[in-house]
């Protein structure tokens, strides 16, 4: 699925109203989707009709961070599933997964723990200067202190 520049601009605007958003397939009207956002004080309500049709729900409590991730891609494509969205860019061969289920996040972190003993691992890869710069930019943008 592709998101138009207009839709990304609408999401950026909604992020200024409230950093959380839930896009539901039930909000589809004539092949378009209606987005809603309300400020925490309930003083401001925003609604925008976008041209894309969402078949699966998308929920995030950190829309600005999600949009920051999207800005790292030149021509992003989105694959929404039950608890994550995979963002890919075929031109630059980049791929990133954005999880939005707190339970799934906890499970992922726990399953990614390193073993106590260091196994024998041999790997080789090539990393271009451009890709390293993109990784550093993404790391800084996302506040990942683990990448050094």
């Amino acid at each position: 699925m592709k998101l138009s520049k207009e839709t990304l601009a609408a999401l950026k605007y909604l992020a200024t109203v409230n950093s959380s958003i839930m896009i539901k397939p039930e909000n589809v009207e004539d092949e378009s989707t209606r987005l809603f956002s309300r400020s925490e004080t309930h003083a401001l309500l925003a609604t925008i009709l976008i041209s894309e049709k969402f078949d699966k729900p998308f929920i995030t409590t950190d829309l600005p961070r999600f949009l920051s991730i999207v800005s790292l891609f030149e021509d992003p494509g989105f694959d929404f599933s039950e608890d994550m969205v995979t963002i890919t860019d075929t031109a630059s061969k980049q791929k990133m997964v954005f999880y939005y289920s707190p339970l799934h996040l906890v499970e992922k972190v726990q399953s990614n723990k390193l073993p106590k003993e260091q196994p024998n691992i041999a790997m080789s890869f090539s990393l271009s200067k451009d890709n390293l710069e993109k990784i550093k930019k993404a790391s800084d943008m996302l506040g990942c202190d683990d990448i050094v």
Side-chain angles (χ1 to χ4, degrees), residues 80-96:
F80 293 92
S81 64
E82 187 176 315
D83 56 355
M84 66 183 171
V85 59
T86 304
I87 308 166
T88 55
D89 189 342
T90 54
S92 62
K93 298 182 182 175
Q94 292 178 305
K95 179 178 178 178
M96 185 172 285

Side-chain angles (χ1 to χ4, degrees), residues 48-68:
I48 299 173
L49 194 63
I50 60 170
S51 59
E52 289 83 359
K53 179 182 172 189
F54 280 77
D55 295 329
K56 296 193 171 56
F58 171 64
I59 304 162
T60 181
T61 57
D62 198 349
L63 185 55
R65 187 173 196 178
F66 173 75
L67 293 171
S68 293

Side-chain angles (χ1 to χ4, degrees), residues 11-25:
L11 288 171
K12 286 179 187 176
Y13 170 72
L14 292 177
T16 65
V17 175
N18 190 325
S19 63
S20 300
I21 194 166
M22 178 167 53
I23 301 172
K24 298 187 217 177

Side-chain angles (χ1 to χ4, degrees), residues 5 70-76 89 91-92 94 134:
K5 290 180 181 181
V70 171
S71 73
L72 297 171
F73 295 84
E74 290 177 32
D75 185 28
D89 189 342
S92 62
Q94 292 178 305
K134 287 179 182 180

